[in-house]
Amino acid sequence: MIDFQPLGEDDLPRLHGWLGREHVARWWGEPPDMQKVRDEYLPMIRGEEATEGYLIRLDGRPIGFIQTYRVADWPSFWPEVDEMDAAGMDLLIGEPELIGQGHGPRIIRAFVETVVFARPGVRACWADPDARNRRSVRAFEKAGFRVMRDVWAEDAQATERLVRLGRDELQASDLDGSRGSSS
């Protein structure tokens, strides 16, 4: 069973460990030291910023991190998205033995169903995985997201693949992505 537990201060050492793992750092960037993790995530935990962070749990075991936010609250990160009633999301699976096991699409789908679209005003959800991260892009597609376009991300020095799932598309798609997605 997949569920989501709000990120707490006691979870920061675990998150720091995940961010330092090779399979995560490849896509999330140079691993930060513990103080940078605290500086970045404590405002979220304390409700001082609009982003909400969660531990991803599989059968009660923490296996990763996922966050969501309103696109309108972070316009500099989403200049190519003009849907102010949309949410954004980012995630990582921190446990290397769980990569490539089919958990990604289920995690993404469960999160948009139970957290992102639980907010009545959210009409769409966007994500921007690195275009080279084929597993991540495919996980979003299998969860019902459609590839919209590629954009150059100056801060990441990489091409990001923008993917989108509309609230109305959620019911029209199934988990394997055979409806409501394109390659």
Side-chain angles (χ1 to χ4, degrees), residues 50-51 67-75 78 80-89 112 115-127 145 148-149 162-169:
T51 303
Q67 64 184 12
T68 188
Y69 41 83
R70 289 177 355 120
V71 168
D73 291 330
W74 300 98
W78 293 96
E80 59 286 316
V81 175
D82 61 1
E83 290 183 284
M84 293 303 110
D85 57 354
M89 68 177 289
V112 295
V115 178
V116 175
F117 289 134
R119 295 177 189 92
V122 174
R123 299 286 169 238
C125 184
W126 289 80
F145 282 70
M148 303 306 287
R149 63 188 166 278
L162 297 183
V163 295
R164 179 189 184 277
L165 178 66
R167 178 185 290 275
D168 57 335
E169 297 165 315

Side-chain angles (χ1 to χ4, degrees), residues 42-53:
L42 276 177
M44 171 193 306
I45 291 167
R46 294 177 179 153
E48 297 166 359
E49 70 172 38
T51 303
E52 296 176 21

Side-chain angles (χ1 to χ4, degrees), residues 16-131:
H16 177 254
W18 288 332
L19 291 167
R21 292 198 170 145
E22 183 180 333
H23 75 282
V24 174
R26 179 176 182 197
W27 307 115
W28 280 65
E30 192 67 29
D33 63 30
M34 187 60 193
Q35 186 57 51
K36 285 186 180 180
V37 170
R38 293 179 61 75
D39 292 347
E40 183 170 343
Y41 294 95
L42 276 177
M44 171 193 306
I45 291 167
R46 294 177 179 153
E48 297 166 359
E49 70 172 38
T51 303
E52 296 176 21
Y54 300 86
L55 288 180
I56 302 165
R57 299 188 323 166
L58 177 64
D59 298 327
R61 173 186 171 204
I63 64 163
F65 170 75
I66 194 164
Q67 64 184 12
T68 188
Y69 41 83
R70 289 177 355 120
V71 168
D73 291 330
W74 300 98
S76 64
F77 291 109
W78 293 96
E80 59 286 316
V81 175
D82 61 1
E83 290 183 284
M84 293 303 110
D85 57 354
M89 68 177 289
D90 309 288
L91 75 147
L92 65 86
I93 295 175
E95 302 301 329
E97 73 276 9
L98 298 177
I99 301 298
Q101 303 297 312
H103 298 297
R106 292 190 357 246
I107 290 166
I108 294 166
R109 186 63 174 232
F111 191 69
V112 295
E113 287 177 347
T114 62
V115 178
V116 175
F117 289 134
R119 295 177 189 92
V122 174
R123 299 286 169 238
C125 184
W126 289 80
D128 58 354
D130 188 305

